[in-house]
Each structure stands twice: as C-alpha cells, then as structure tokens.
Amino acid sequence: MSRIATSFTLILSLLSTFSIPASCATTQPRNVATLAVCKEIASTVSSASEIWSRPVELYYTEDNYHWAQSSSQVSDGCAQINLLARTQTPFGVKGGGHSANPGFSSTTGVQIAMARFNNVTYDASAGTATIGAGLIWDDVYAELEPYNVNVVGGRVTGVGVAGFTLGGGFSFLSNQYGLTVDTVRAFELVLPNGTITTVTESNPDLFWALKGGFNNFGIVTQFILEAYPQGQVWGGAIITLGELDAVTNATANFYANVADPKASILTTLNWDLGITAVEVNLFYDAPTPPDGIFDEFLAMPYLTRDVSTRSFLSLVLTAPSNATFGLRGYFETVSITDITLPLLDAIVNETEYWSTTLAAEVPGLFVSYDIEPFLPSIYSHGSPSAWPPTRSQGFMPINIYYAWSLEASDSLINSVMQESARYLTQVAISQGQDVANTPHYPNYAIYDTALSTMYGDNVASLQAIKAQYDPDNVMALAGGWKF
Ligand SMILES: Cc1cc2nc3c(=O)[nH]c(=O)nc-3n(C[C@H](O)[C@H](O)[C@H](O)COP(=O)(O)OP(=O)(O)OC[C@H]3O[C@@H](n4cnc5c(N)ncnc54)[C@H](O)[C@@H]3O)c2cc1C
Ligand SMILES: *[C@@H]1O[C@H](CO)[C@@H](O)[C@H](O)[C@H]1NC(C)=O
Ligand SMILES: *[C@@H]1O[C@H](CO)[C@@H](O)[C@H](O)[C@H]1NC(C)=O
Ligand SMILES: *[C@@H]1O[C@H](CO)[C@@H](O)[C@H](O)[C@H]1NC(C)=O
Ligand SMILES: *[C@@H]1O[C@H](CO)[C@@H](O)[C@H](O)[C@H]1NC(C)=O
Ligand SMILES: *[C@@H]1O[C@H](CO)[C@@H](O)[C@H](O)[C@H]1NC(C)=O
C-alpha cells in the first residue's frame, strides 16, 4: 500500500535504478525494516510527497480510490518498493481513478497516486491554465470560475483530468473547441528514465503520441491547457420515466437540426430494477439558449428536472453520475456517424433486451447506453494526434455501461457488452453508416479491445515512439493500453 504522489524523478529512477539498502533487502513485507526504508524514501523525495505502507497508512483509501469496484485492486506497495527494480514489480498510475478496466490505473503492486499534483494556475497573458494530474474536473472548474475562464473537460461530476485528457476528452465545449487533447499546449512529463521534461509541439512526435496515448511514454504531472472565456451557462439534468418515444424523437431531431456549437446534449437510457429511466443532460454556453432548440426536451413529462441558468460547475454537478460509485462495472463503446430513430430504437431494445436477459443471473444489475451527439465538425479544431487516428469522419461514441455487484459474472458481462456493441455497429451499417472501421474511443473501450480498433493506422507509429522513449519498457509494468 503505498502512497507515492510525488516527484517522479525518484519514483521512476526507483523503477530502473534504485539500489537496495541492506536494511530493505527483506522478503517479509510490511516489517519494521521495510517501513523504515519507506520513510527514508519519503524523506528524500520532497515534503509534498508521502510514501506509506499499511501499518501507518493515512491515505490508503484515498489513494486506492476507484470509481468502479472492478478496477479497485488492493496495492501492496511500500513493502515491495525494493522489489520494483529487482523483480519488475507492477505499478499503477492513477489520476482520478475513473477507469473501470481492471488494472488500468489500479494494481496489486505499487500504486502511484497523482493526488498531490493538485494545483490549478491561470496565466492570463498566455491564455492557459496549468492543471495538476491528480485533480478531477470539478476542482478545476471551481478554481477557474473566479477568472471567468474555463477549459475543455468533463461533463459530469468526479471524472479525473489525467486519463480523460490523455485519451481524448469529449466535453460540452467540444463542438466549439474540439477534444481536450486539441487544447493541450504542453504536458509536463516524467520520462521513463526519470528525466522531467515539458513536451510541446516543438517535440512533435512525443506531443502527438501523448495526445491520446495514455501512460506509454511516462507519467504526466501537469497539463497546460488552453483557457477560454466562460460566463454563466444554461442547462442541467432531466430524468423521465416512460417517455422513450418522446426522448428518442427529441434526440434524433436535436441531432438533425441543431448546428449551434454552443449547444450540447447527452441522452442516457438507464435500466435499473426493471425500469428504464432516461436522463437527458442539456447544455448551452450562454445564460439563455436561443428559442426552440431544447423545446422537445422541456415539453416532456419528467420525474425530476433541474435546468436553469447557472455556473458551469453547478451544471456538471446536476448529473447523478456518482450514484453507481463502488459497483463493479465495465464500459464499452461503438462509434457512429448519424443518430437516427431506427438506431435509437435499437439502442432502447439493447438496453431492455440485455437487462431483462441478464437480470436473473446478475445481482444488482444496472445497464446504461448513452448517446452523445456532436457536430460533424468536432475533429476540425485540432491537429493530428494519437487519438483520434482519423479526423475526416465526424463520428460519435456511444457509451455502454453495465454495473453489477458480484464478481462471478464478469466474463459473461464482458462478452454480452461486446456482442451488443457489435450488434449496434451492424444496425448502424444497415442504416447506411460507414462505420465498420470507425475508431473506438479508448476511454470507453472494454479492456480486451484490440489497439487497431481504437488507434487504427497509428499503432505502428505509437509503437516506434514508445520504443524510442522507453527502451527498457518500464511503462509496461503499469496497466492500460500498451504499445
Ligand atoms: C462517470 C463517468 C463519466 C465520464 N464522462 C466522460 C466524458 O464526459 N467525456 C469523456 O471523454 N470521458 C468520460 N469518461 C471516461 C473518462 O474519460 C475515463 O474514465 C478517463 O480515463 C478518466 O480519467 P481518470 O484520471 O479518472 O482515470 P484513471 O483511472 O486514473 O486513469 C485512466 C488511465 O490513464 C492513465 N493515467 C492516469 N493518470 C496518468 C498520468 N498522470 N500520467 C500518465 N498516465 C496516467 C492510467 O494509468 C490509466 O491507464 C467518464 C467516465 C466515468 C466513469
Ligand atoms: C502548488 O502550488 C504551491 C503554492 O504555489 C507550490 O508551493 C507547490 O510547489 C505547487 N505544487 C506543484 C506540484 O506544482
Ligand atoms: C462519490 O461517492 C463516494 C462514496 O460515497 C465518495 O467517497 C466520493 O467523494 C464521491 N465523489 C464525488 C465527486 O462526489
Ligand atoms: C415521435 O415522432 C413521430 C414522427 O416521427 C410521431 O409520429 C410520434 O407521435 C412522436 N412521438 C412522441 C412521443 O413524440
Ligand atoms: C433486440 O435486441 C436483440 C439483441 O441484440 C436482438 O436479437 C433482437 O432482434 C432485437 N429486437 C428488435 C425488435 O430489434
Ligand atoms: C532520458 O530520455 C530522454 C529521451 O529519450 C533522453 O533525451 C535523455 O538523454 C535521457 N536521459 C538520461 C539521463 O538517460
């Protein structure tokens, strides 16, 4: 159990070159000698860092915190620090801990939690915000609000900055400014050999690779993102029951008719306890939306509705996305290029077909399909990046999320989710969409997805850049998508 939120010079040197003090050369974890060494390491790192082992753990829960139980492995960190160098001990790098894929940011080895990288600094003259890799977007929005600026980040509460940004980043602001990767001015990176460097477009290969390539090239400590003016916004969440036709109509009509880049919605079908409820999140980047564009959503009977003029953070907090915290869960995805009624009807059917099929054998089942309309121009705002591998097609991710409470059914659920994703791809193709090879979004893809399904023709370049910057393959010890 170690807390190592810190100067990665030391951490990464540890991984490759740490020489083991005699007192630490123990095979008995968590003994007094090991603990002493952990404390010694902590004292040599920096006062902002802490390295703990279980007996004195104060931050254990926070640093192993993961949103999904399926990715909450218990690390056995400090006791094994000496073993990292010697035995290639696995480690995990955790930003916000929102990956649901087992072992992506969790580990049974040494957990490197970025939590202490928690500063947000706004530089008005540069028009940028420097953001610590341990933060969640909620905190970033709160810090930037007094300056009337914002960055392109998460749409619902609790999501981490680091994984989100290193994988792409679909935001309510993406129709205006692109994905989060398109707004990165620089990454502060600890290379696998322990060198700290600032990666900008003047280092084009590494800059390109970090924009979508996650933890393959080292550990990011801070992101420097473009800051944009931000005033009050309009929107919030509506939850409806029994209004599936009205919701699918409204969603299809919104996608077909609204070309205003300040407008954005999320439509989510949630099946729980035998009922499909729909959550719609509405967003407009001004205090009042133009007449008409959200009328169909506002006309629906609702269970709860919290829509108003408010701060960006207040809008993000209306989504009850933390309700499934602590359940096991997986995400899976398909990419589509059009949102039509027949496809939405198929998504409603998938939600209900699989939830009723699985409910008896999967205790605590929660099934969710979310439709994310974006303008076809969404990828025109940025320059080439590891992800998406193509910007010529205005594709949109569908987010499939299944949660449950027992471990026993994990592989069954994985196969059902992949079957459902393939089925929806076939439905889209039968509707005339050219999506057989459209890239899947790596922040939504289930853990055994092929690299080529997400990164397409970029895989070979990513592998070459990874080999150049990590010749000893240190980052292979950390989970996640691996090049
Ligand atoms: C409720 C919910 C809502 C979401 N909403 C959105 C959304 O609106 N838009 C969207 O695009 N995505 C969304 N996502 C997906 C989200 O982008 C991913 O889960 C993302 O990886 C979360 O980042 P994190 O830092 O919390 O993840 P973590 O689990 O901490 O990390 C994810 C991956 O990134 C790596 N990583 C983390 N920190 C670092 C670092 N400092 N340096 C190098 N590698 C690092 C990890 O090793 C791991 O492989 C959502 C997810 C959830 C659960
Ligand atoms: C965060 O800001 C504080 C105060 O300016 C500074 O002392 C500290 O070094 C910063 N931390 C990081 C990780 O940059
Ligand atoms: C989500 O819920 C968990 C458990 O109640 C809590 O610890 C965590 O702080 C919550 N996260 C947010 C962002 O509210
Ligand atoms: C949905 O739209 C169709 C026409 O496309 C219409 O016949 C139907 O009444 C609408 N349903 C609802 C609930 O609005
Ligand atoms: C509903 O979904 C299942 C599973 O994908 C599929 O076999 C079935 O044909 C679908 N039914 C309809 C009416 O679309
Ligand atoms: C660390 O790696 C970088 C990038 O490959 C390289 O430029 C630098 O010289 C290396 N530093 C050391 C000390 O090996």
Side-chain angles (χ1 to χ4, degrees):
M1 287 354 59
S2 77
R3 174 182 186 84
I4 314 173
T6 185
S7 147
F8 286 98
T9 317
L10 177 78
I11 307 280
L12 290 190
S13 323
L14 274 176
L15 298 177
S16 45
T17 62
F18 184 56
S19 62
I20 304 160
S23 65
C24 191
T26 171
T27 52
Q28 295 177 316
R30 303 188 194 104
N31 68 10
V32 173
T34 307
L35 193 55
V37 170
C38 289
K39 286 184 168 169
E40 187 185 320
I41 291 167
S43 72
T44 61
V45 181
S46 98
S47 60
S49 313
E50 294 188 52
I51 300 179
W52 300 99
S53 63
R54 195 192 281 273
V56 294
E57 182 55 77
L58 297 178
Y59 293 96
Y60 174 68
T61 306
E62 179 194 327
D63 283 350
N64 281 280
Y65 164 104
H66 281 81
W67 182 76
Q69 184 63 34
S70 38
S71 58
S72 302
Q73 289 166 297
V74 176
S75 61
D76 190 15
C78 194
Q80 297 184 349
I81 279 180
N82 60 330
L83 300 179
L84 279 176
R86 203 147 48 84
T87 64
Q88 296 260 295
T89 301
F91 65 100
V93 185
K94 184 172 79 74
H98 260 50
S99 175
N101 284 332
F104 271 46
S105 56
S106 56
T107 182
T108 52
V110 171
Q111 181 79 61
I112 298 179
M114 303 304 292
R116 294 270 163 126
F117 287 95
N118 59 3
N119 285 353
V120 177
T121 317
Y122 172 54
D123 181 339
S125 61
T128 57
T130 301
I131 298 168
L135 288 163
I136 60 171
W137 291 108
D138 307 36
D139 300 329
V140 177
Y141 300 148
E143 292 284 336
L144 294 176
E145 199 175 298
Y147 303 103
N148 297 314
V149 296
N150 205 1
V151 288
V152 175
R155 290 173 286 193
V156 302
T157 181
V159 185
V161 167
F164 187 103
T165 304
L166 289 165
F170 288 95
S171 167
F172 284 133
L173 300 173
S174 291
N175 284 332
Q176 294 179 79
Y177 310 120
L179 304 183
T180 305
V181 283
D182 297 332
T183 71
V184 177
R185 288 263 195 98
F187 300 90
E188 189 181 284
L189 178 72
V190 183
L191 288 163
N193 67 11
T195 304
I196 300 177
T197 181
T198 300
V199 183
T200 66
E201 62 188 358
S202 64
N203 187 346
D205 59 348
L206 195 50
F207 191 58
W208 174 87
L210 285 166
K211 292 193 292 179
F214 291 95
N215 64 16
N216 286 278
F217 314 97
I219 298 177
V220 175
T221 54
Q222 301 200 99
F223 299 87
I224 301 180
L225 303 187
E226 198 88 40
Y228 300 97
Q230 183 70 67
Q232 292 275 103
V233 301
W234 177 92
I238 301 174
I239 295 175
T240 71
L241 281 179
E243 299 297 330
L244 290 168
D245 285 348
V247 168
T248 52
N249 276 11
T251 301
N253 287 336
F254 178 90
Y255 180 72
N257 300 319
V258 178
D260 183 337
K262 293 182 174 177
S264 189
I265 64 165
L266 278 174
T267 298
T268 309
L269 307 172
N270 291 318
W271 185 96
D272 195 12
L273 303 171
I275 295 169
T276 304
V278 182
E279 178 183 344
V280 184
N281 305 98
L282 306 179
F283 175 84
Y284 195 82
D285 193 7
T288 314
D291 284 345
I293 62 178
F294 297 110
D295 284 1
E296 278 187 75
F297 295 106
L298 296 174
M300 294 184 311
Y302 54 82
L303 192 62
T304 64
R305 182 163 92 186
D306 178 0
V307 174
S308 67
T309 300
R310 59 204 333 163
S311 72
F312 193 93
L313 175 58
S314 155
L315 187 145
V316 164
L317 291 174
T318 60
S321 53
N322 210 28
T324 51
F325 175 90
L327 290 180
R328 304 187 69 79
Y330 292 150
F331 288 93
E332 170 60 326
T333 189
V334 295
S335 290
I336 54 171
T337 56
D338 196 4
I339 295 175
T340 58
L341 272 179
L343 179 61
L344 291 171
D345 288 343
I347 294 170
V348 170
N349 175 57
E350 286 301 288
T351 308
E352 301 193 326
Y353 177 87
W354 287 115
S355 49
T356 48
T357 302
L358 290 174
E361 48 191 314
V362 181
L365 181 68
F366 175 87
V367 168
S368 163
Y369 283 71
D370 118 6
I371 297 110
E372 310 197 355
F374 286 104
L375 293 177
S377 57
I378 181 173
Y379 306 114
S380 67
H381 302 277
S383 49
S385 46
W387 200 89
T390 168
R391 288 172 179 264
S392 60
Q393 212 186 8
F395 63 88
M396 300 163 277
I398 290 177
N399 183 322
I400 305 172
Y401 168 59
Y402 285 29
W404 63 101
S405 50
L406 291 181
E407 195 161 344
S409 310
D410 293 14
S411 65
L412 167 68
I413 294 167
N414 178 331
S415 66
V416 164
M417 293 180 77
Q418 298 207 36
E419 184 177 335
S420 184
R422 277 193 299 271
Y423 180 80
L424 288 176
T425 304
Q426 287 311 316
V427 172
I429 291 169
S430 73
Q431 290 278 299
Q433 299 190 32
D434 177 19
V435 292
N437 297 305
T438 304
H440 288 195
Y441 179 36
N443 262 328
Y444 291 170
I446 203 158
Y447 52 85
D448 47 1
T449 303
L451 289 177
S452 58
T453 302
M454 300 174 286
Y455 294 95
D457 293 342
N458 283 353
V459 173
S461 303
L462 284 160
Q463 285 169 338
I465 295 167
K466 148 84 178 134
Q468 181 190 340
Y469 287 95
D470 188 15
D472 299 329
N473 209 10
V474 172
M475 296 313 293
L477 295 168
W481 307 119
K482 293 290 115 177
F483 298 114

